Amino acid sequence: MVGVPLTRRGKRRAHPKQTVASVLEYAALGWASCPGARPLNSGSRACSCDRIGCPDAGAHPLSRAWQMQATTDLALLSHWWQRDPEANVILPTGRVFDVFDVPLAAGLTAFANMDSAGTAQGPVAANGDRVLFYVATRNTSDDEDEWWSCSLDYGPSTIEEMPGLRWHCRDSYVMAPPSLLPTGKPATWLRPPDGRPLPDPLVVLEKLADTC
């Protein structure tokens, strides 16, 4: 993996070329993305967005229209990251994939247990104090009445209510590697996407529930 340079205050960030390369690789997988705010390492503001006192500094999309903005268009993605090469990478969930989001210790334990048991895993990322498991989305029905929700569904506004296991489906998003997290460290892949089919969410949920 390409080394990640230090910025002032000890924060690490991905090289801009690494970020745009990752965005284009996600697009090749059919994963839409859009630019995200980044934490600032100097000045009086903690976030690159235009909100004073941003409550979610460096951990949200730049545009409030992120769901419509997110795309796999290579030309548009290249343009966005050429204009703002240090922008974080936001991936909307509930399109190609959902994401299980679990606390770090439980996530690493589940990751190791699934690996040793030979359980099929999809991409897995470490995002600071959380581990993200990418699975096939359940949001596949064209009939709204057939879509099913559960108590683990997570939206950006409910983070304080759900400190344990979260399920990002439609109307939610995750920050993807190599985004710089508010902790000052980059998100990284424990198991990067490789184009293979994503695992059944209920199979992965069963394994995570045993740990969490």
Side-chain angles (χ1 to χ4, degrees):
M1 179 176 291
V2 177
V4 181
L6 280 170
T7 65
R8 284 182 293 174
R9 297 187 184 179
K11 288 190 176 184
R12 293 180 179 271
R13 62 175 176 81
H15 189 282
K17 289 184 178 179
Q18 180 187 0
T19 301
V20 70
S22 296
V23 168
L24 298 181
E25 288 174 4
Y26 299 148
L29 294 170
W31 295 9
S33 61
C34 64
R38 65 184 185 280
L40 298 180
N41 55 35
S42 61
S44 59
R45 295 169 58 188
C47 184
S48 66
C49 74
D50 57 5
R51 297 177 64 185
I52 302 300
C54 177
D56 197 21
H60 62 85
L62 277 174
S63 172
R64 294 184 180 181
W66 58 271
Q67 288 175 296
M68 294 185 291
Q69 183 186 48
T71 183
T72 58
D73 185 294
L74 300 183
L76 189 52
L77 294 168
S78 297
H79 170 72
W80 285 339
W81 267 272
Q82 286 170 2
R83 184 177 60 187
D84 187 2
E86 294 185 5
N88 277 340
V89 182
I90 297 293
L91 301 180
T93 53
R95 297 186 182 185
V96 176
F97 55 82
D98 293 349
V99 171
F100 289 120
D101 173 351
V102 301
L104 180 63
L108 293 178
T109 298
F111 179 74
N113 290 345
M114 293 168 70
D115 205 38
S116 62
T119 303
Q121 295 186 62
V124 181
N127 280 29
D129 61 355
R130 311 288 297 189
V131 176
L132 308 185
F133 293 78
Y134 287 65
V135 297
T137 183
R138 74 182 192 278
N139 189 28
T140 55
S141 176
D142 292 330
D143 187 343
E144 180 71 15
D145 292 335
E146 292 182 8
W147 184 82
W148 55 279
S149 61
C150 75
S151 60
L152 297 175
D153 284 347
Y154 168 76
S157 64
T158 60
I159 187 169
E160 299 299 333
E161 303 169 15
M162 304 179 70
L165 176 61
R166 307 166 185 156
W167 192 338
H168 298 262
C169 187
R170 63 178 182 178
D171 301 327
S172 189
Y173 58 81
V174 293
M175 286 173 51
S179 296
L180 182 66
L181 304 169
T183 59
K185 297 181 179 180
T188 58
W189 288 112
L190 300 177
R191 175 170 283 118
D194 57 10
R196 285 184 289 183
L198 297 171
D200 184 330
L202 296 183
V203 172
V204 176
L205 176 60
E206 182 179 3
K207 301 297 182 181
L208 294 177
D210 290 340
T211 305
C212 296

